[in-house]
Amino acid sequence: MSDYSQSIAKAELNVLPVEEYPGRIIVIDTEEDAIKAVDYLSSFDKVGFDTETRPSFKKGRYYKIALMQLATEECCFLFRLNRINIPPSLASFLTSKQTLKIGLSLRDDFGALRKRTAITPANFLDLQNYVGGFGIEDASLQKIYAILFQKKISKGQRLSNWEADTLTESQKKYAALDAWACLHIYNELNQ
């Protein structure tokens, strides 16, 4: 059995200090920039992955993924899919078996991804399934992170408009933190 607690109560979570994303954030909104970002990301054996979709507050209205985040330990690329869709370079990266892409609740991300492209993502690891092997019973990113690092991931930006003309600093930091946290969790569990 691991040294990690199995779960964390909401009351415990609420008093933890808030985590801040420590790296560089690079917004990708042209195909040319996507090619450069993918070239860089392809040099890593593993990256963190997440997506954001504009929330719908009307029944029956759905939006496509607006943002895809891919993070290394040092930086996070925010791909504005609502502007560039899924360019060939990014599609190739998502289907590549070369780089492990680590996310959480991937079934939801893949379902949303299918609304943008017909690719079949390859070499992804879902932390929700993975952390159980370390005795962690909680399945949310916020709780898993709190168990491992005694810090809280704020969810304040989750329901913001991810299709906005310009992403706010708070949106960028929130989005980058989620993808980076997936990689950070995986690295912690595999020390």
Side-chain angles (χ1 to χ4, degrees):
M1 207 49 151
S2 73
D3 296 336
Y4 305 113
S5 96
Q6 296 176 329
S7 63
I8 187 167
K10 197 165 182 74
E12 291 175 84
L13 184 66
N14 289 338
V15 299
L16 292 176
V18 176
E19 180 65 282
E20 293 272 331
Y21 173 68
R24 286 179 58 214
I25 300 172
I26 302 165
V27 176
I28 305 297
D29 55 9
T30 68
E31 203 164 326
E32 187 180 321
D33 286 345
I35 291 168
K36 291 177 193 169
V38 167
D39 281 349
Y40 176 78
L41 289 164
S42 297
S43 69
F44 290 84
D45 60 346
K46 58 189 177 299
V47 297
F49 166 87
D50 194 30
T51 65
E52 302 300 337
T53 301
R54 178 181 176 178
S56 172
F57 300 105
K58 286 190 178 155
K59 190 174 176 158
R61 176 184 278 176
Y62 300 97
Y63 294 99
K64 292 181 179 179
I65 292 174
L67 192 70
M68 180 180 293
Q69 307 95 275
L70 291 165
T72 68
E73 284 285 351
E74 294 80 32
C75 70
C76 183
F77 295 94
L78 308 181
F79 292 84
R80 304 280 322 257
L81 303 186
N82 58 312
R83 297 231 172 112
I84 62 172
N85 204 357
I86 302 206
S89 59
L90 183 57
S92 175
F93 182 76
L94 296 173
T95 57
S96 162
K97 291 184 170 67
Q98 179 185 326
T99 304
L100 177 64
K101 281 108 15 209
I102 302 152
L104 187 109
S105 190
L106 292 175
R107 199 178 78 181
D108 298 338
D109 288 317
F110 291 168
L113 201 55
R114 276 192 287 283
K115 293 181 177 125
R116 281 213 175 265
T117 179
I119 66 167
T120 302
N123 203 13
F124 276 79
L125 179 136
D126 193 329
L127 287 173
Q128 274 188 328
N129 307 324
Y130 189 71
V131 298
F134 296 87
I136 298 171
E137 294 171 2
D138 287 315
S140 78
L141 182 65
Q142 197 178 37
K143 288 188 170 188
I144 295 166
Y145 199 85
I147 289 166
L148 294 179
F149 302 107
Q150 292 73 54
K151 286 191 175 180
K152 174 172 57 179
I153 293 178
S154 169
K155 290 295 179 186
Q157 293 295 316
R158 188 170 62 91
L159 296 178
S160 62
N161 181 3
W162 295 103
E163 294 181 8
D165 286 343
T166 305
L167 296 176
T168 66
E169 283 306 307
S170 296
Q171 282 179 306
K172 290 180 202 174
K173 287 178 180 176
Y174 167 87
L177 179 60
D178 272 9
W180 175 82
C182 289
L183 177 61
H184 200 47
I185 288 166
Y186 179 84
N187 287 341
E188 174 70 17
L189 293 173
N190 288 285
Q191 282 192 37

